[in-house]
Amino acid sequence: SLDRLEGCLLSAMSVVPALGEVGFKSIVNGPTIWTGDSLARCGRTRLPGYYDFNSLTYGVAQSLALAEYLGHIITEGEQPYDMATEFDPLRYGGWATPEYTAAKVLETYSHNNAISYPQESRPAGRDVVAKSDAHRALQATLASHGAVFSFSNAGVEVPLVFLPGGAGGAPLEL
């Protein structure tokens, strides 16, 4: 029902009069959109001239800075600073299956108000990302040299640290 949104829309039009002049074609008022890493999708897409500005879980708190970021990409042709790893709409590849996505979104939502740390990589979805025999062999070799693995937001097991003297056994995971 638009009745409950009317006050918000009128306030928005008083702040940005152009909204009242151009009007609204549609209004979507639905569930919050989450990505697996809780970061917005903001940047180029595979279609030339089309940009993605989506998944802002806290709306206004993120939108102004990201709007400036995207505006710079559109007008200048490149990012004003390197945030591609964090915001690139194309950061999820074919490995991000529906099973992976479900696991990551549940994990992300359950940590909504928890403290997060820079470069934090949480483990959900780790068990559903396919690993090749070559990957398993490389992981075993690195583990024999002390590698402790972390699951990156790019869907890859990566060495986080190498323990002195080697782990001498199965890969350790954080």
Side-chain angles (χ1 to χ4, degrees):
S1 153
L2 289 180
D3 293 340
R4 67 184 183 88
L5 297 176
E6 183 178 13
C8 293
L9 295 173
L10 291 173
S11 293
M13 286 185 266
S14 71
V15 174
V16 182
L19 291 176
E21 296 168 17
V22 298
F24 296 90
K25 289 188 177 187
S26 67
I27 296 175
V28 177
N29 184 19
T32 304
I33 300 170
W34 291 86
T35 58
D37 55 11
S38 193
L39 296 172
R41 292 183 355 227
C42 181
R44 295 180 182 93
T45 68
R46 287 191 175 93
L47 300 172
Y50 287 86
Y51 300 86
D52 190 346
F53 189 60
N54 201 331
S55 306
L56 286 77
T57 55
Y58 287 100
V60 172
Q62 295 173 325
S63 63
L64 295 176
L66 286 175
E68 181 180 15
Y69 175 81
L70 182 59
H72 195 279
I73 292 171
I74 293 169
T75 59
E76 304 297 326
E78 61 182 69
Q79 304 138 261
Y81 38 86
D82 186 14
M83 295 300 285
T85 303
E86 290 82 3
F87 300 132
D88 185 358
L90 305 175
R91 68 185 178 269
Y92 294 104
W95 53 268
T97 63
E99 295 80 14
Y100 168 85
T101 303
K104 287 306 282 184
V105 169
L106 282 171
E107 177 186 62
T108 299
Y109 191 74
S110 70
H111 287 82
N112 183 25
N113 293 310
I115 295 171
S116 61
Y117 300 94
Q119 307 304 318
E120 181 177 20
S121 295
R122 295 185 176 135
R126 171 183 240 159
D127 57 335
V128 297
V129 174
K131 296 174 184 82
S132 67
D133 290 339
H135 179 275
R136 284 190 284 278
L138 177 60
Q139 190 175 18
T141 300
L142 291 171
S144 72
H145 292 282
V148 176
F149 293 89
S150 176
F151 184 60
S152 77
N153 286 334
V156 180
E157 298 277 350
V158 294
L160 182 62
V161 67
F162 285 83
L163 299 175
L172 298 173
E173 297 175 350
L174 294 180

